[in-house]
Amino acid sequence: MDEKPREKLLTKGAAALTDSELLAIFLRTGNPEMPVMEFARHLLSHFGSLNAVMSATQEQYSTVKGIGQSKLCQIYAIAELGKRFYQEKLLCQETISDPAEAYHYLTSQLAHLEREVFQVIFLDNRHRVLQAKIMFQGTINSVEVHPREIVKEALSQNAAAMILAHNHPSGISEPSAADKNITQRIQKACRLFDISVLDHFVIGKGEFFSFAQRGWL
């Protein structure tokens, strides 16, 4: 295997590596026609992005020469490890002083999904995480959300605040009119119980939209 990515990691740190270099370290070997670095670049080009590489299905990988069960298991294990890392990091934080601190967690959980889901992070009065829960699951382009169920769960958690999030499988994070409407309905329902809605993230592929940053909350 070409050792250059490993040497670069040891001398400059993991953050200095490109996506293809990081992928090559995990793949370890290429295929009969390509060395590992070329193979890593080929995968990124074939699927279009690192996120697509990590979330492609077994059926999609079946057309890629050089990806057997061993490499497929490695790729899926890396993706799951990343998700669990951000989940643990979020839950271990003492407080969330800025809703943007939840962004990496939400991206790791939602960006790769092929159907829309609606997730809520429930916080106490010091903005410590009580629970992060997927509340509703939908189709490839919509999800039905019930504000009453969100408030009910918040009360059961004794939550004082929350961060809302849902994904757009299309990859475009710009919120729809329906997204704006449901956010307003949830915020109105929460006000009756003195529960704050700190933000609503719409997660796309490689991009996100924050209602709070736009000044819509």
Side-chain angles (χ1 to χ4, degrees):
M1 175 184 174
D2 187 347
E3 293 293 322
K4 288 183 180 179
R6 291 185 179 183
E7 294 167 3
K8 184 176 177 181
L9 186 151
L10 292 173
T11 57
K12 298 182 179 180
L17 272 66
T18 64
D19 289 348
S20 58
E21 289 171 332
L22 286 169
L23 188 57
I25 288 176
F26 286 106
L27 292 173
R28 299 181 61 192
T29 59
N31 66 20
E33 300 173 358
M34 305 178 194
V36 66
M37 276 302 304
E38 185 179 348
F39 187 45
R41 287 191 288 267
H42 169 70
L43 287 178
L44 289 167
S45 175
H46 177 80
F47 288 105
S49 69
L50 183 60
N51 177 71
V53 169
M54 305 304 284
S55 57
T57 65
Q58 291 188 47
E59 183 180 359
Q60 290 171 315
Y61 268 115
S62 67
T63 63
V64 180
K65 187 176 182 180
I67 296 291
Q69 289 187 342
S70 178
K71 278 188 170 58
L72 193 60
C73 287
Q74 285 176 275
I75 291 170
Y76 287 162
I78 297 163
E80 182 61 26
L81 190 64
K83 289 171 60 178
R84 295 188 188 189
F85 167 77
Y86 283 116
Q87 183 176 34
E88 184 173 326
K89 185 177 181 181
L90 178 78
L91 295 175
C92 288
Q93 285 184 209
E94 290 187 7
T95 63
I96 295 181
S97 56
D98 181 347
E101 293 174 4
Y103 161 68
H104 289 297
Y105 163 75
L106 292 168
T107 297
S108 72
Q109 301 296 303
L110 303 179
H112 65 286
L113 299 178
E114 296 181 355
R115 294 180 180 274
E116 281 198 25
V117 301
F118 197 96
Q119 186 169 34
V120 182
I121 301 175
F122 297 98
L123 310 168
D124 67 11
N125 57 5
R126 292 176 57 189
H127 293 177
R128 295 175 297 191
V129 177
L130 298 170
Q131 185 182 36
K133 183 176 181 179
I134 291 179
M135 296 291 298
F136 310 101
Q137 300 191 48
T139 65
I140 59 172
N141 57 14
S142 67
V143 58
E144 187 173 351
V145 178
H146 302 282
R148 180 176 64 180
E149 294 300 314
I150 294 175
V151 171
K152 181 180 177 181
E153 183 65 28
L155 293 173
S156 73
Q157 296 285 333
N158 198 27
M162 65 179 68
I163 296 170
L164 312 174
H166 77 282
N167 63 312
H168 280 177
S170 67
I172 307 301
S173 61
E174 188 69 24
S176 64
D179 294 337
K180 298 176 186 178
N181 178 263
I182 195 61
T183 304
Q184 293 170 352
R185 289 173 56 200
I186 294 169
Q187 190 174 36
K188 183 177 180 180
C190 286
R191 283 199 191 108
L192 297 174
F193 299 92
D194 294 323
I195 300 170
S196 301
V197 177
L198 301 182
D199 207 340
H200 184 173
F201 286 99
V202 184
I203 306 296
K205 296 188 186 302
E207 63 180 61
F208 74 98
F209 183 95
S210 163
F211 276 64
Q213 287 184 3
R214 185 62 66 90
W216 290 359
L217 286 173

